[in-house]
Amino acid sequence: MTKDEARRSVGKRVEDLSTGHTGIVQAAEDWENPETRRVAFTVFVRPEHGGTESYLSPANVRPVVIGS
């Protein structure tokens, strides 16, 4: 997923390609990791049925197409 696609995906269902889990994109923006002080474009995904939000690279996210 590109940065633009990630930004347009806010509020939509996506899949984390590294785990296969799905969730809803909460934000897609540059984020500074407080531990490393490194800035990277990050997609924030909340699990659909609760749990801990994931911080993902857009390369590890794809849209979920209903009916697939």
Side-chain angles (χ1 to χ4, degrees):
M1 174 177 287
T2 67
K3 289 180 180 183
D4 287 335
E5 289 170 332
R7 287 183 187 106
R8 289 193 302 268
S9 294
V10 172
K12 297 182 180 171
R13 187 174 184 222
V14 295
E15 177 183 4
D16 175 348
L17 296 175
S18 64
T19 65
H21 296 153
T22 60
I24 307 299
V25 175
Q26 301 301 297
E29 59 194 28
D30 285 331
W31 176 70
E32 182 178 328
N33 183 316
E35 295 176 8
T36 64
R37 309 304 288 178
R38 295 182 68 193
V39 176
F41 189 84
T42 304
V43 182
F44 299 86
V45 179
R46 178 182 48 82
E48 292 181 277
H49 304 291
T52 303
E53 185 174 58
S54 299
Y55 308 150
L56 305 170
S57 163
N60 290 335
V61 179
R62 75 171 176 186
V64 172
V65 179
I66 296 174
S68 64

